[in-house]
Amino acid sequence: MLELKNICFKRDNKKILDNINLTIDSDKFVVITGPNGSGKSTLAKIIMGIEKPDSGKILLEGKDITELSINERAKLGVAFAFQQPVRFKGITVFDLLKLSSQKEINKAEACKILSKVGLCAKEYVDREINSSLSGGELKRIEIATVAVRNSKFTIFDEPEAGIDLWSFQSLIKVFEDMRKIVKGTTLIISHQERILNIADEVILLKQGKIEKRGNKEQLLGEINEKPLCCKLGVN
């Protein structure tokens, strides 16, 4: 379980997050949505430790992690997937999976993980992580690195960013299957309706505050009164 208590954050004297209080239960698939500039990605980065809150506390399974570094949080089981996965010249997919697992794994184990995220293992396990890979392929590889960690709390910051429609449709299928792959809680930052549709709970963030939260039926019923982009204020 993750708890955020009275989290506040300013940048250039502008209030980005305003007294956020939020509890996310274990083994849930949660989506945070809201308009551009509402503080969604900032909140995700604060949970990971990329940004530090001006005030408030972050508790993971009752342990105060507010002052812990990114590496210390990772060791406790918090994982973060960026909007744009990083390419590593000279590093293969197998190398990256070994680094992510933090233990010795063989190619058979790596191939099994790749297969679970919809990649043909024989074609990808020895591929270099460079510009030859599409955005959709990189997203799947990144999900594989998360899966091999067995993290307690996994954050995806707008996973749909930078990929084409075909890759996005495939990505939805991967997320639908994620509960079979990744143990623990998954938190996704997104305003894509198809991602909201597969959530256990949807949290609506506006102007740095939690405006509403509920199950997808409750919240989507209200959002769908208008096109999603209009309701959320997305341009």
Side-chain angles (χ1 to χ4, degrees):
M1 181 173 70
L2 183 86
E3 295 178 83
L4 304 178
K5 295 186 175 183
N6 305 312
I7 296 294
C8 294
F9 180 81
K10 288 182 179 179
R11 183 181 285 120
D12 299 327
N13 292 320
K14 181 182 177 182
K15 193 174 288 185
I16 307 297
L17 296 173
D18 185 7
N19 203 41
I20 295 289
N21 287 283
L22 177 65
T23 298
I24 299 176
D25 292 330
S26 301
D27 300 320
K28 295 292 184 182
F29 195 98
V30 178
V31 176
I32 295 181
T33 192
N36 293 333
S38 60
K40 304 185 300 296
S41 291
T42 299
L43 184 59
K45 290 174 182 176
I46 281 176
I47 293 171
M48 187 67 241
I50 299 167
E51 299 277 11
K52 294 290 186 183
D54 296 322
S55 60
K57 289 187 177 182
I58 306 166
L59 305 177
L60 179 67
E61 296 183 338
K63 178 181 175 65
D64 189 344
I65 64 170
T66 313
E67 300 301 323
L68 297 187
S69 68
I70 296 172
N71 287 339
E72 289 170 322
R73 296 183 200 208
K75 288 177 182 178
L76 290 175
V78 184
F80 190 95
F82 289 90
Q83 289 184 20
Q84 299 295 335
V86 180
R87 290 176 167 88
F88 301 91
K89 187 177 180 180
I91 295 180
T92 67
V93 172
F94 180 47
D95 293 332
L96 187 60
L97 289 174
K98 285 194 295 182
L99 287 169
S100 298
S101 69
Q102 299 180 351
K103 64 181 181 180
E104 284 297 319
I105 62 169
N106 56 39
K107 282 196 176 181
E109 292 170 311
C111 287
K112 186 176 180 181
I113 292 291
L114 290 172
S115 296
K116 285 183 177 180
V117 297
L119 294 175
C120 178
K122 290 182 179 179
E123 291 183 12
Y124 285 91
V125 70
D126 291 318
R127 285 274 297 272
E128 188 175 312
I129 302 173
N130 56 28
S131 58
S132 70
L133 293 166
S134 70
E137 289 170 326
L138 282 169
K139 292 288 186 182
R140 289 175 185 241
I141 291 167
E142 188 168 39
I143 292 172
T145 66
V146 169
V148 81
R149 290 178 214 158
N150 288 321
S151 299
K152 295 176 184 177
F153 196 95
T154 304
I155 306 162
F156 289 91
D157 186 11
E158 297 193 24
E160 69 273 12
I163 63 174
D164 56 35
L165 179 60
W166 185 90
S167 297
F168 176 67
Q169 291 171 339
S170 300
L171 186 67
I172 293 297
K173 179 62 168 64
V174 172
F175 279 128
E176 287 173 340
D177 294 338
M178 270 192 68
R179 292 175 196 177
K180 302 173 186 176
I181 306 169
V182 180
K183 297 178 181 178
T185 297
T186 298
L187 175 66
I188 300 182
I189 307 299
S190 179
H191 54 72
Q192 287 289 337
E193 188 168 350
R194 289 188 63 187
I195 293 180
L196 270 65
N197 269 320
I198 60 177
D200 293 320
E201 183 177 27
V202 178
I203 297 166
L204 178 58
L205 202 63
K206 275 192 175 183
Q207 297 180 335
K209 295 183 178 182
I210 295 173
E211 181 162 296
K212 289 182 174 62
R213 67 181 296 180
N215 62 44
K216 56 193 175 187
E217 289 83 9
Q218 292 171 328
L219 206 53
L220 280 175
E222 180 173 336
I223 290 173
N224 285 338
E225 291 175 5
K226 296 181 180 180
L228 183 61
C229 60
C230 298
K231 183 67 178 179
L232 296 181
V234 177
N235 295 324

